[in-house]
Amino acid sequence: SDYLGFDLVMVNNLPEPSVLLADRGYDADRIRKKMEAREVLTQIPMRKSRRMRVGVDHSLYSLRNLVERCFNKLKNARRVATRYDKTAESFLGFIDITSIRLWLRLLST
């Protein structure tokens, strides 16, 4: 499940988030408690098997859809989706180029 890699993503050397928007794969009491200790608002839909019901602000959670769409558009570039680049620097450079292309396309509409 997704929550196994959560600690690697949320290391303390990153800027402190104010809200965590995640999918059901991250619904674990351990994650919720860790984010509550860091005073981060968690917006994670609960799994169907969860006994303790937890609500979600749907207007805030809908912002997650924008991020998902952005990743989907970035992955339409074959080079980004398959990661042909050998170094992280060239891979991130191509993500920049692809992002600029998407932004220019958005401006032209």
Side-chain angles (χ1 to χ4, degrees), residues 20 22-24 26-33 35-36 40-58 61:
L20 173 67
D23 63 0
R24 291 174 194 220
Y26 290 95
D27 184 26
D29 291 331
R30 174 181 65 85
I31 292 174
R32 290 183 185 272
K33 288 178 185 174
M35 290 294 104
E36 186 177 308
V40 175
L41 176 65
T42 57
Q43 295 296 312
I44 305 171
M46 60 191 157
R47 293 181 187 205
K48 294 176 183 173
S49 61
R50 179 176 276 282
R51 290 187 181 150
M52 184 182 75
R53 309 307 285 174
V54 179
V56 174
D57 181 4
H58 291 286
Y61 186 74

